[in-house]
């Protein structure tokens, strides 16, 4: 029966970890040499790697995306601009704050002083039973109540009974502590 020495028990089996690297290297080399000298003159068995599954006949071809990243970004920008233009048109004839101000909320987002825009998160909740378009105007106001910028957003096809959100960003209000507020909101 192998018994553990008192020194090994006292160190908790950490003796190998406390050896200097040069001693560990010597032990590894000696152990490798001892295992390699089997006393036989045969070269041993050849080792090889074998594939268990069949190799594919040909590599799959890389297919080109029908649109490039720039084309995709341009289409998203174009859609956002169409939605914004529709919102501007919708809000032109609105008197006062509009008919759905209670369905819209806005929160200012913290940004670094070095950033070149101010941002607000605008949320629209559609309480109706069908998808609807919402036009929302957000004002960025400084501490004295002066409107520094106004941003119009269009929410296309807001789903029934759900809340959707978008960011309103203002470059004109950059670098100034502002507070966003809903100026107008209309369901179109």
């Amino acid at each position: 029966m192998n018994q553990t020495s008192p020194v090994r028990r006292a160190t908790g089996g950490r003796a190998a970890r406390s050896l200097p690297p040069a001693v560990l290297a010597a032990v590894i080399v000696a152990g490798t040499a001892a295992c390699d000298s089997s006393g036989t003159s045969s070269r041993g068995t050849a080792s090889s790697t074998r594939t268990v599954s069949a190799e594919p006949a040909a590599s799959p071809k890389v297919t080109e995306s029908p649109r490039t990243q720039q084309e995709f970004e341009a289409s998203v920008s174009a859609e956002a601009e169409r939605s914004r233009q529709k919102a501007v048109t919708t809000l032109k004839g609105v008197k006062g704050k509009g008919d759905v101000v209670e369905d819209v909320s806005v929160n200012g987002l913290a940004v670094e002083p070095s950033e070149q825009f101010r941002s607000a998160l605008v949320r629209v909740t559609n309480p109706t039973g069908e998808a609807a378009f919402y036009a929302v105007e957000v004002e960025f106001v400084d501490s004295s109540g002066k409107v520094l910028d106004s941003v119009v957003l269009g929410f296309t096809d807001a789903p029934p009974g759900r809340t959707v959100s978008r960011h309103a960003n203002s470059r004109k209000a950059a670098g100034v502590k502002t507070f966003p507020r809903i100026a107008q909101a209309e369901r179109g």
Side-chain angles (χ1 to χ4, degrees), residues 110-111 118 140-146 148 173-180:
V111 293
R118 295 293 293 172
F140 289 88
V141 182
D142 68 7
S143 59
S144 68
K146 179 182 175 190
L148 300 177
V176 180
K177 184 163 177 103
T178 59
F179 306 95

Side-chain angles (χ1 to χ4, degrees), residues 39-70:
T40 63
S41 60
S42 72
R43 301 197 41 99
T45 19
S47 147
S48 66
T49 304
R50 298 182 189 232
T51 305
V52 177
S53 60
E55 298 259 342
S59 297
K61 293 183 180 180
V62 177
T63 57
E64 289 294 321
S65 171
R67 297 193 301 183
T68 65
Q69 182 66 28
Q70 291 82 12

Side-chain angles (χ1 to χ4, degrees), residues 79-91 133 152 154:
E79 180 59 34
E81 182 57 24
R82 278 191 294 276
S83 177
R84 191 188 75 74
Q85 289 295 333
K86 182 178 178 183
V88 167
T89 304
T90 302
L91 291 174
F133 177 82
V152 176

Side-chain angles (χ1 to χ4, degrees), residues 66-146:
R67 297 193 301 183
T68 65
Q69 182 66 28
Q70 291 82 12
E71 290 172 333
F72 175 74
E73 289 171 1
S75 70
V76 169
S77 294
E79 180 59 34
E81 182 57 24
R82 278 191 294 276
S83 177
R84 191 188 75 74
Q85 289 295 333
K86 182 178 178 183
V88 167
T89 304
T90 302
L91 291 174
K92 273 189 182 175
V94 174
K95 298 213 190 279
K97 289 194 169 262
D99 64 355
V100 291
V101 174
E102 66 278 353
D103 297 341
V104 181
S105 67
V106 64
N107 291 61
L109 300 175
V111 293
E112 296 295 320
S114 62
E115 291 195 49
Q116 298 177 4
F117 62 91
R118 295 293 293 172
S119 188
L121 181 64
V122 181
R123 291 184 184 97
V124 172
T125 303
N126 181 358
T128 68
E130 55 189 54
F133 177 82
Y134 284 81
V136 179
E137 181 181 3
V138 178
E139 292 177 337
F140 289 88
V141 182
D142 68 7
S143 59
S144 68
K146 179 182 175 190

Side-chain angles (χ1 to χ4, degrees), residues 1-16:
M1 175 175 196
N2 270 343
Q3 291 205 358
T4 308
S5 73
V7 173
R8 182 163 287 233
R9 272 193 305 249
T11 61
R14 289 178 278 188

